[in-house]
Amino acid sequence: MSNNYFTTPIYYVNDKPHIGHAYTSIAVDILKRFYDCRGLNSYFLTGTDEHGQKVERAAQEKNIDPQKFTDMVSENFKDLSNLLNLSNDDFIRTTEERHKKSVQNLWRVLLEKDEIYLSKYSGWYSVRDEAFVADNEIVEKNGKKYNSFGSELSWVEEESYFFRLSKWQDKLLNFYKNNPNFIVPKSRSNEVIKFVESGLKDLSVSRTTFKWGIDVPTDEKHIVYVWLDALTNYISALDYPNINSDLYKKYWPGIHVVGKDIIRFHAIFWPAFLMAAELDPPKQIVAHGWWTNEGQKISKSLGNVIDPKELIDEYGLDSVRYFLFREVPFGNDGDFSKVAIKNRINGELANNYGNLIQRILSFICKNLEQNIDLTEDNFNFEILKQINDSEKELFDYMENYKYDEYLKKLFLFMNDLNNYVDKSAPWVLKKTDPEQMKKVLANICLCIIRVSQYLVPFMPSKTSEVFNLFENTNNIKLDIFDNFKEVINLKFLKIRQPEPLFTKIE
Ligand code: ME8
């Protein structure tokens, strides 16, 4: 459980970052923060994929040298990491020396082990996906050829090195059998197994007809096929080829979070390359679904690409983070719509969570001179006990990437709390039973802190604002779940006057 290593795909720099990239990056950020909150060590890598024909063409279209072009566009992805408040430990670019060295080393090892041989490739290729396409996967439309994602194909005929992928078919199937959680969700796992069972052909792993890539170290005519180059980033960042390095020893094998579009590369090619080099295959491949925009496929040609910056400017980062992971079960496809995000923000964040904090803390500030006493009794409060008792269930959700269930559960507690406020009516108790009123308020404050702790991975900034409202907890690190026991030792809570946490969308 400890020392998890989480990665995002490294994104192509042929274009600006969009909501899909943001989604995967936030998914991994939530995992990393969740393990931080449990006091467990983990490592988070993201980065950019800068080689290949697609990137070369994008640079040519702009009339810029590819290195200059990738330097520029890679910055957009670094900016995105800041914009999204990512807690990544490293950001790798495939044009960095450390990565070139790593890829070239892996190449040499595979060649020495006779896992790679020289031959000739002729077949269809999708530049958009940087992928070779088998005859039975070609779709014909108006005399043109496309792959199943609708990317146009071009004919490629060139000398090429091949990786003996066919040889790994049975070993891969065995590996999947012995590691039933290697690919999640299960539906994706079945898809991959079916594909491998249907037969694997050797894979072309070098190109000669363009130049923008890592040189094959043993043959200057060739550059390394972009997917062998790209996948290796996950170990380059851990100091491969030095497999005795602290990073490698501590974190490999890793957990790769990817979109469903690139699952084959991660679940078939990557473990095969690694096993062929006698390295451990990854621990797990987690594939999420595909976002559409108001029901439509997101594409540059349709002009409906959602810019994460615009979204965040309009709705606020933590609200967007919450929406993306509450709205759609991870693994399923999801649709972005303005109505859907508005409903989640207004109904759940502003009305349910924000308003609970606002009305209770304002009431305390007005009626109790900002202080609320805590007693032993408060910790036996039924809702607080239920929240504490549900920790295992919450952890199970996160360990199984059920982000939406985790949030749903927490917001049910929030409903209970709001109902409790309405039922116990502290504004009435103020006159009839001031002691009981204090007790009710203390209970609710403790629950607000507890639920907010569990929300930290999703909404790190908003929850930090909430913790700040409890002035005398400021030297307790409330972003560690276990530190709630330090709150229990406090004699009272000193409250600051709250400002509305979320603005309602009109
Ligand atoms: O494939 N919905 O890079 P890429 C959800 N460089 N996620 C989406 C999405 C959408 N509509 N669009 C993109 C590459 N994504 C390679 C990866 S890894 C060794 C090399 C996300 O820039 C999703 O994670 O095309 C998808 O897998 C990734 O962006 C593809 O990014």
Side-chain angles (χ1 to χ4, degrees):
M1 187 46 55
S2 54
N3 292 346
N4 273 324
Y5 172 39
F6 299 109
T7 67
T8 72
I10 47 169
Y11 306 114
Y12 285 129
V13 289
N14 61 314
D15 219 338
K16 281 205 307 215
H18 71 71
I19 181 87
H21 302 126
Y23 182 63
T24 322
S25 292
I26 298 171
V28 176
D29 185 60
I30 291 169
L31 291 176
K32 160 85 181 159
R33 288 179 188 273
F34 171 70
Y35 285 91
D36 286 349
C37 287
R38 291 174 64 180
L40 298 173
N41 185 265
S42 61
Y43 200 74
F44 168 10
L45 176 73
T46 185
T48 40
D49 188 356
E50 307 192 2
H51 292 127
Q53 211 164 350
K54 172 151 103 168
V55 174
E56 187 181 70
R57 279 190 190 166
Q60 279 162 354
E61 272 166 28
K62 296 214 156 48
N63 234 333
I64 312 177
D65 159 72
Q67 184 62 59
K68 273 209 188 99
F69 174 73
T70 56
D71 286 346
M72 248 161 48
V73 191
S74 174
E75 277 309 305
N76 294 338
F77 283 89
K78 281 196 176 152
D79 292 347
L80 179 74
S81 302
N82 292 332
L83 180 77
L84 300 177
N85 192 10
L86 299 188
S87 56
N88 54 305
D89 296 285
D90 195 357
F91 186 102
I92 191 161
R93 300 181 52 193
T94 54
T95 50
E96 288 173 49
E97 264 322 302
R98 60 170 169 163
H99 176 68
K100 287 187 193 164
K101 192 173 97 185
S102 158
V103 170
Q104 290 183 330
N105 188 85
L106 184 61
W107 180 279
R108 280 201 189 89
V109 172
L110 294 175
L111 196 69
E112 271 162 26
K113 291 186 185 295
D114 191 34
E115 295 288 347
I116 284 179
Y117 61 92
L118 187 61
S119 184
K120 199 170 165 202
Y121 180 81
S122 50
W124 293 94
Y125 191 79
S126 155
V127 175
R128 185 158 103 192
D129 305 297
E130 297 282 12
F132 300 96
V133 182
D135 288 347
N136 62 356
E137 295 192 303
I138 296 172
V139 183
E140 298 229 20
K141 227 172 36 197
N142 306 328
K144 286 187 175 165
K145 291 189 161 50
Y146 300 87
N147 68 4
S148 54
F149 297 115
S151 317
E152 199 176 333
L153 307 180
S154 44
W155 183 254
V156 169
E157 210 169 297
E158 57 190 78
E159 183 186 270
S160 171
Y161 284 90
F162 281 79
F163 170 72
R164 295 188 195 282
L165 184 63
S166 56
K167 178 181 142 183
W168 291 93
Q169 179 170 339
D170 291 341
K171 291 193 178 87
L172 282 169
L173 289 171
N174 245 335
F175 174 69
Y176 302 145
K177 205 166 130 203
N178 295 333
N179 297 280
N181 284 327
F182 176 61
I183 304 164
V184 288
K186 194 90 207 132
S187 55
R188 300 270 163 236
S189 175
N190 296 339
E191 251 172 61
V192 168
I193 293 171
K194 250 207 212 129
F195 182 81
V196 176
E197 279 172 346
S198 74
L200 293 178
K201 288 209 181 100
D202 288 354
L203 175 75
S204 166
V205 286
S206 77
R207 305 289 311 269
T208 54
T209 46
F210 70 102
K211 279 274 137 261
W212 184 236
I214 297 180
D215 293 332
V216 165
T218 51
D219 186 338
E220 60 186 17
K221 281 207 307 280
H222 291 251
I223 56 165
V224 178
Y225 169 48
V226 68
W227 275 97
L228 174 55
D229 165 346
L231 289 160
T232 307
N233 91 86
Y234 299 131
I235 53 174
S236 307
L238 300 182
D239 292 341
Y240 178 81
N242 180 6
I243 58 172
N244 290 316
S245 73
D246 289 347
L247 279 177
Y248 191 92
K249 282 201 304 208
K250 200 161 165 190
Y251 294 114
W252 191 251
I255 296 175
H256 304 311
V257 180
V258 299
K260 63 179 185 181
D261 55 326
I262 55 176
I263 189 152
R264 276 189 204 170
F265 299 95
H266 285 80
I268 304 173
F269 301 170
W270 182 223
F273 294 152
L274 289 163
M275 289 196 241
E278 293 183 44
L279 297 169
D280 286 337
K283 198 183 287 176
Q284 196 173 45
I285 311 297
V286 185
H288 64 68
W290 213 239
W291 280 90
T292 48
N293 182 1
E294 309 277 353
Q296 269 193 324
K297 187 178 165 192
I298 300 175
S299 91
K300 216 160 73 170
S301 50
L302 290 173
N304 65 350
V305 171
I306 304 171
D307 178 345
K309 179 155 186 341
E310 282 172 20
L311 206 59
I312 289 165
D313 285 347
E314 187 164 352
Y315 300 104
L317 173 61
D318 281 8
S319 301
V320 172
R321 288 174 63 113
Y322 174 83
F323 167 75
L324 292 174
F325 291 90
R326 175 62 187 83
E327 181 71 5
V328 178
F330 201 62
N332 292 10
D333 291 339
D335 185 42
F336 177 87
S337 85
K338 290 199 166 207
V339 174
I341 192 168
K342 178 182 148 185
N343 287 343
R344 292 269 174 217
I345 294 177
N346 288 356
E348 290 159 28
L349 297 181
N351 277 351
N352 198 348
Y353 184 39
N355 194 35
L356 172 72
I357 295 171
Q358 186 66 25
R359 59 182 178 148
I360 289 302
L361 299 202
S362 304
F363 185 84
I364 295 172
C365 287
K366 202 161 143 212
N367 296 292
L368 287 165
E369 292 180 343
Q370 298 186 297
N371 274 351
I372 187 101
D373 289 336
L374 297 179
T375 63
E376 286 284 308
D377 201 30
N378 294 134
F379 303 105
N380 294 322
F381 175 45
E382 188 50 37
I383 302 181
L384 182 61
K385 272 204 335 230
Q386 282 173 18
I387 301 171
N388 286 330
D389 289 348
S390 71
E391 188 168 90
K392 189 178 169 320
E393 182 183 342
L394 290 170
F395 286 8
D396 276 351
Y397 287 142
M398 287 306 283
E399 282 165 19
N400 291 294
Y401 312 100
K402 296 188 171 164
Y403 297 82
D404 63 317
E405 295 286 347
Y406 180 95
L407 291 172
K408 212 186 286 171
K409 178 94 195 169
L410 290 174
F411 274 75
L412 284 178
F413 289 129
M414 224 86 81
N415 283 345
D416 292 347
L417 283 169
N418 273 305
N419 290 337
Y420 174 72
V421 173
D422 293 341
K423 229 170 59 201
S424 38
W427 47 91
V428 176
L429 292 173
K430 191 177 137 191
K431 290 183 201 113
T432 57
D433 188 349
E435 281 316 303
Q436 178 61 14
M437 172 194 76
K438 284 184 196 164
K439 232 160 107 177
V440 166
L441 295 171
N443 287 339
I444 297 164
C445 285
L446 288 171
C447 288
I448 288 173
I449 295 178
R450 196 60 173 141
V451 175
S452 299
Q453 281 194 294
Y454 290 120
L455 286 174
V456 166
F458 290 82
M459 300 194 280
S461 307
K462 287 293 173 191
T463 48
S464 155
E465 279 177 44
V466 173
F467 298 146
N468 262 328
L469 295 172
F470 299 92
E471 206 176 313
N472 60 328
T473 64
N474 285 173
N475 45 16
I476 303 175
K477 270 186 70 54
L478 286 174
D479 55 3
I480 303 283
F481 297 148
D482 267 359
N483 287 350
F484 191 68
K485 58 180 179 289
E486 293 187 33
V487 178
I488 291 178
N489 290 331
L490 296 172
K491 298 230 158 14
F492 65 95
L493 290 170
K494 185 166 170 53
I495 312 289
R496 287 198 172 104
Q497 176 65 44
E499 296 286 328
L501 202 56
F502 299 94
T503 321
K504 271 192 159 186
I505 314 290
E506 289 312 320

